[in-house]
């Protein structure tokens, strides 16, 4: 009997570790659909479809929370376009600046959408440094391609808009708008539309409480138990975030619609 219990416990442990490993891979290790390493490494062929690059961090990669790039790719009106997802988990503006040649310019895009800065806010990257990185990214893309460029304002971090972190984030969004004006590129008001929705909700928002365990739990609900990102957010008492940073499908749809309108114009 004791031997059977040990065997059962070992099998259970293996199953748990396997499930945890699967969730971890799908969320934190797996690359996004059609990353630059696959789409752009050998240069674009003359017959290739027009390419649109979305560049940023995990909110662009879309393996944790809404995949707004994938939603654009699935729209019938963009069937003739190739969407390259140059989002990378954990990236700051400095990280994106380092890979702008390989992950954006090498794709020879006709349009580039940039959503970067949430990790800069969380990591306390000085505002001047963020401004310098963002400007260098835009300048490099403008000087090496003929692509249209859109800078997306940063979504709120958590849903308490009065929290210190969101007050700090406001300054970074000001830099984004100023950079768009300075380099004569487009600005998409992601933050403004998301905050409008949060203000309409009313009540007391949950305080910002991001952690790796919370993200892993959100991913487990989605990948292991098949819940939508909207359901994951609702389970946590949140309107737009699955873990205080990454957006649910409702929040991601705002970005999809804004970028779709921009691509169409």
């Amino acid at each position: 009997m004791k031997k059977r219990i040990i065997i059962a416990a070992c099998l259970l442990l293996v199953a748990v570790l396997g499930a945890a490993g699967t969730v971890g891979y799908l969320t934190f290790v797996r690359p996004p659909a059609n990353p630059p390493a696959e789409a752009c490494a050998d240069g674009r062929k003359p017959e290739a479809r027009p390419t649109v690059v979305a560049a940023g961090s995990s909110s662009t990669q879309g393996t944790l929370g809404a995949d707004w790039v994938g939603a654009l790719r699935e729209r019938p009106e963009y069937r003739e376009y190739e969407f390259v997802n140059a989002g990378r988990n954990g990236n700051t503006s400095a990280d994106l600046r380092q890979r702008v040649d390989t992950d954006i310019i090498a794709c020879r895009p006709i349009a580039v959408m940039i959503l970067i800065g949430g990790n800069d806010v969380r990591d306390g990257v000085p505002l001047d440094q963020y401004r310098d990185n963002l400007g260098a990214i835009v300048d490099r893309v403008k000087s090496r391609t003929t692509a249209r460029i859109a800078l997306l304002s940063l979504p709120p971090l958590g849903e308490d808009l009065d929290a210190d972190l969101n007050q700090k984030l406001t300054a970074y969004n000001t830099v984004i708008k100023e950079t768009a004006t300075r380099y004569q590129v487009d600005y998409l008001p992601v933050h403004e539309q998301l905050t409008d929705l949060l203000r309409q909700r009313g009540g007391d928002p949950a305080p910002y409480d991001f952690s790796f365990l919370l993200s892993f739990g959100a991913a487990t609900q989605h990948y292991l138990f098949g819940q939508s990102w909207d359901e994951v957010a609702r389970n946590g008492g949140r309107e737009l975030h699955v873990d205080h940073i990454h957006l649910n499908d409702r929040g991601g749809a705002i970005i999809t619609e804004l970028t779709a309108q921009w691509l169409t114009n």
Side-chain angles (χ1 to χ4, degrees):
M1 179 63 71
K2 184 176 180 181
K3 184 177 180 180
R4 290 179 181 177
I5 293 174
I6 293 174
I7 292 173
C10 289
L11 291 174
L12 178 61
L13 179 61
V14 169
V16 170
L17 291 175
T22 298
V23 171
Y25 170 76
L26 291 174
T27 307
F28 305 109
V29 179
R30 173 179 55 127
N34 205 34
E38 296 178 6
C40 315
D42 298 323
R44 311 303 301 155
K45 297 179 181 179
E47 68 273 21
R49 294 177 295 166
T51 298
V52 178
V53 175
S57 59
S58 56
S59 293
T60 300
Q61 177 166 326
T63 53
L64 176 57
D67 179 10
W68 60 269
V69 182
L72 278 172
R73 187 182 292 117
E74 293 172 1
R75 288 200 170 198
E77 62 265 39
Y78 300 126
R79 194 174 301 136
E80 296 180 359
Y81 292 84
E82 179 174 8
F83 286 88
V84 176
N85 191 321
R88 190 175 294 181
N89 289 340
N91 263 202
T92 63
S93 59
D95 297 317
L96 182 57
R97 181 177 182 175
Q98 289 180 347
R99 59 188 180 90
V100 66
D101 283 355
T102 57
D103 288 8
I104 299 178
I105 293 169
C107 299
R108 301 180 186 175
I110 64 163
V112 176
M113 303 171 292
I114 299 171
L115 173 58
I116 193 72
N119 291 319
D120 294 73
V121 179
R122 294 177 59 241
D123 293 349
V125 173
L127 206 58
D128 286 344
Q129 185 175 329
Y130 175 68
R131 180 183 290 106
D132 181 62
N133 288 334
L134 187 61
I137 292 167
V138 174
D139 184 63
R140 186 70 173 167
V141 175
K142 285 200 71 172
S143 65
R144 296 295 301 276
T145 77
T146 58
R148 297 172 60 209
I149 301 171
L151 300 182
L152 284 62
S153 60
L154 304 174
L157 292 170
E159 301 189 350
D160 181 358
L161 300 178
D162 296 323
D164 290 344
L165 194 60
N166 275 317
Q167 296 301 309
K168 180 180 176 183
L169 182 142
T170 299
Y172 289 77
N173 276 330
T174 298
V175 168
I176 294 173
K177 184 175 287 189
E178 291 172 350
T179 301
T181 300
R182 177 183 175 190
Y183 289 95
Q184 297 181 320
V185 300
D186 294 315
Y187 171 86
L188 303 187
V190 171
H191 181 270
E192 292 85 339
Q193 291 205 12
L194 292 174
T195 54
D196 282 347
L197 281 178
L198 291 175
R199 290 192 180 98
Q200 292 171 16
R201 175 187 183 182
D204 294 327
Y208 178 84
D209 189 27
F210 173 80
S211 69
F212 172 78
L213 287 178
L214 182 63
S215 291
F216 190 85
T220 299
Q221 292 177 63
H222 180 73
Y223 290 114
L224 204 57
F225 298 109
Q227 295 187 343
S228 70
W229 293 120
D230 285 344
E231 290 173 321
V232 172
R234 193 158 49 246
N235 292 341
R238 293 177 290 275
E239 188 77 12
L240 297 175
H241 293 85
V242 301
D243 59 359
H244 296 282
I245 290 179
H246 303 96
L247 296 171
N248 62 3
D249 293 323
R250 185 185 179 200
I254 298 295
I255 303 181
T256 300
E257 190 58 36
L258 280 170
T259 51
Q261 291 174 4
W262 176 74
L263 286 170
T264 302
N265 291 336

